[in-house]
Amino acid sequence: MLKRLLLLGAVSGLLAGILSWTYSKVYSHYLGVDFSTIATPVKMIVACVIGGLIASLGYALLQRLLGLKTDAVFNLIFTILSFASILGPIATKLPLELQSPELFPWLVMPMHLFPVLGWLTLKPLFFPPKA
């Protein structure tokens, strides 16, 4: 069970990282800004995979504590934490030498939601609902 949870966390994190990188390329292309020195593809993917693995461990812990109510409570907590994590980019102060530093939060804020979306999308594939 824990192995599958960790695999789910890693795969959903990798998916979220790839989506983050893709989103950053599209964002940069259409807005003509480049934050690749700050938000590198490696940082995006590693952060998402680590987030997915931490989520897996949190799910396993909640499952021991809550049993059947785990999914509802975990999904709520993961979603709230994802939205709360958006406060970090909002508070980030970038050097004014960077082109359009005010656009940076709008680049990374959606990325904070990709891990929870990846998890919610892939969980039924790793743990099919029981009929």
Side-chain angles (χ1 to χ4, degrees):
M1 175 70 157
L2 183 59
K3 281 184 184 180
R4 275 196 322 182
L5 275 173
L6 290 172
L7 185 60
L8 168 59
V11 173
S12 65
L14 184 60
L15 174 65
I18 291 168
L19 288 173
S20 293
W21 175 75
T22 303
Y23 172 73
S24 74
K25 298 302 277 182
V26 170
Y27 187 90
S28 295
H29 174 75
Y30 283 105
L31 292 179
V33 294
D34 181 21
F35 296 112
S36 62
T37 58
I38 299 166
T40 67
V42 171
K43 287 180 185 176
M44 288 180 228
I45 292 170
V46 168
C48 289
V49 170
I50 289 172
L53 293 173
I54 291 170
S56 295
L57 295 174
Y59 186 91
L61 178 65
L62 277 176
Q63 195 168 41
R64 285 184 164 214
L65 297 172
L66 301 176
L68 295 175
K69 298 196 185 299
T70 301
D71 279 339
V73 173
F74 175 81
N75 292 347
L76 181 65
I77 290 171
F78 198 2
T79 302
I80 289 170
L81 289 175
S82 295
F83 273 97
S85 73
I86 290 173
L87 296 175
I90 291 172
T92 300
K93 302 288 186 222
L94 295 179
L96 294 177
E97 301 87 51
L98 282 175
Q99 176 190 0
S100 303
E102 70 279 0
L103 294 178
F104 179 73
W106 299 106
L107 167 67
V108 295
M109 285 190 308
M111 293 178 188
H112 285 243
L113 303 177
F114 292 163
V116 71
L117 291 173
W119 176 280
L120 294 173
T121 300
L122 295 179
K123 185 171 182 290
L125 298 176
F126 284 82
F127 298 94
K130 295 179 174 87

